[in-house]
Every structure is written in structure tokens, then in C-alpha cells.
Amino acid sequence: MEKRTAGWRSYAIYGCALALCQPLAACGSAETPAASTNDKVAAQATAAIPADAPLVIAFGDSLYAGYQLGPKEGLAPQLQAALAADSVVARVQNAGVSGDTTAAGRQRLTYVLDNAKVKPALVLLGLGGNDMLRGIGPDQTRANLDAMLAELKKREIPVLLTGMMAAPNLGSDYAKKFNPIYSELAAKYDASFYPFILDNVVTDKTLMLGDNLHPNAKGVTVVAEALAPLVEQALPDAG
């Protein structure tokens, strides 16, 4: 993951945006998604998927949910399209909820899994950004993520964990406790790991919405294309 270090060094841009938006205490928790179009992505994402295709559940917050994007521009449809472009057929289900903390995700995880039509072949897990915005203690964030990973392990469902980073304005003490959570839990549960969900996106304003917190459709494309190879590695008999 050495190539990801450039995005981490430039994280100060994201930190400034977080500092401005921190009083909101949530990523997109109260806004209705606005209409947006991306015909190419929409065409790819609506390609027919067989009923018996492996199920991938994208379980996260607004960064997964497609905040302010069109129905085919969020992470789930774009990841499904990226996989299809690599001749990997899978159904990617959006289970992202804007504003979710790790505590909220922990509460709803079993419901999502119990109500899936089939056992997921993979779960993408991406929560913690809203914990940081709310100033929730990193110990709580760790405990909630740990519990979700334990539940997925108990069910023998592979996981791809996508990480978040503490904004610089929160101070070094917070960062020292928050930032290692994801890599350490990924190692503990032998999960696939993508260190920073907005790597190579947050530092490019052309890939971000005006709030500088959420990716636009093109930004989501970058994220989806970066995640696709890890998803393909995790899926049994991919391709």
C-alpha cells in the first residue's frame, strides 16, 4: 500500500473541511440526495446480473451511500460496473446510511445480514468518519468495529475494511488512537484492507462535492476502480 502515502500526506485539505463542518456532527445526515447524471456509469451499472451472482454488501455511511448523487452514481453501482468491466459478475448491494456512526452500524448489521436474500460473498465495511466528526472516543469506535468484524467472522463472511483518518485539527493524541484502528483490526481479523477510502480523491477538488467532504460521481469512480481489484481477490472464483 505504499502508493497510498501521497494521499495521506495531503490529508490536511480534508482536515480543514472537517474542521468547518464538525458542528454538523455527521456526514450528510439530514440532506436529501440531489439529482445527478452520468450516463456512462448508469449504462454499465444497469447491465443484467444473474440471480445467482455473488452478493457483495457495501455497509457504511454517506461515503458508501452516494450522498447527493444519482441512483447509479454511488459506490455500490459504480463498484458493480467496475467489476463487470473486469469480467467479474457480482451484485453489489448498497447498505450505506448517511450519518451512521459505528454504534449505529453495529446496531443494524445483524438486521442487514439476516435479511439478505443470500449469504454475502463479501462485506465492504466502512464506518468511523462520523465518529470522528462527533468527537466520539476512539476506544468506542474500535470496540464497535471490532464487534462488527467479530460478527462477520462468526458468520464466515469475508470482509474488505476501508479505513478513515483523523482530521489534523483533532490533535495528535486523537490521531494516535484513531488512525491505527483500521490496520490493527484488519490484521486481527485477517480482513482485506484499503487504508483510506478517499485516497487520491480528497486532494482533487474536481473529484469532490462543494462541501469538500464527499466525492462527486467522478470521485466515486476513482474509489470504485481502486477497490475493484481487492474485491476481485476476495471473491471466490472471481472471473
Side-chain angles (χ1 to χ4, degrees):
M1 298 296 179
E2 291 83 357
K3 64 180 180 180
R4 314 234 183 270
T5 57
W8 289 51
R9 286 195 299 269
S10 302
Y11 189 60
I13 295 175
Y14 194 50
C16 291
L18 287 174
L20 292 172
C21 297
Q22 205 160 1
L24 300 177
C27 282
S29 59
E31 295 196 30
T32 302
S36 181
T37 59
N38 186 321
D39 293 340
K40 182 178 180 180
V41 170
Q44 289 176 321
T46 53
I49 300 295
D52 61 349
L55 173 63
V56 177
I57 293 180
F59 189 89
D61 52 30
S62 57
L63 298 178
Y64 276 36
Y67 176 72
Q68 288 196 348
L69 301 180
K72 302 301 181 182
E73 295 177 337
L75 180 61
Q78 291 219 48
L79 178 57
Q80 182 171 299
L83 294 172
D86 289 341
S87 300
V88 175
V89 179
R91 184 179 306 279
V92 184
Q93 176 182 325
N94 178 18
V97 174
S98 293
D100 251 14
T101 60
T102 55
R106 180 177 180 178
Q107 290 178 346
R108 70 182 175 92
L109 178 62
T110 55
Y111 176 85
V112 170
L113 296 176
D114 289 345
N115 286 276
K117 292 184 178 180
V118 296
K119 179 180 177 180
L122 179 69
V123 168
L124 274 69
L125 178 60
L127 289 162
N130 287 309
D131 293 45
M132 178 180 54
L133 284 171
R134 293 174 183 265
I136 293 172
D139 290 345
Q140 294 183 48
T141 300
R142 180 186 290 272
N144 290 327
L145 286 170
D146 194 309
M148 286 184 274
L149 287 162
E151 178 66 23
L152 291 162
K153 182 177 182 179
K154 182 178 72 174
R155 295 176 183 242
E156 298 182 338
I157 299 173
V159 178
L160 169 53
L161 181 65
T162 61
M164 177 51 65
M165 295 179 64
N169 65 291
L170 294 174
S172 59
D173 289 344
Y174 188 95
K176 287 177 181 177
K177 293 180 179 179
F178 183 90
N179 290 347
I181 290 173
Y182 298 90
S183 60
E184 290 175 2
L185 288 179
K188 177 179 179 179
Y189 288 97
D190 194 26
S192 299
F193 181 47
Y194 189 79
F196 181 35
I197 185 65
L198 291 176
D199 188 32
N200 295 321
V201 175
V202 71
T203 54
D204 186 341
K205 289 186 176 182
T206 67
L207 300 177
M208 298 292 289
L209 295 176
D211 62 6
N212 292 318
L213 290 171
H214 299 88
N216 59 27
K218 291 181 179 179
V220 175
T221 299
V222 174
V223 175
E225 290 178 350
L227 291 177
L230 294 176
V231 173
E232 293 164 13
Q233 292 170 16
L235 287 175
D237 304 320

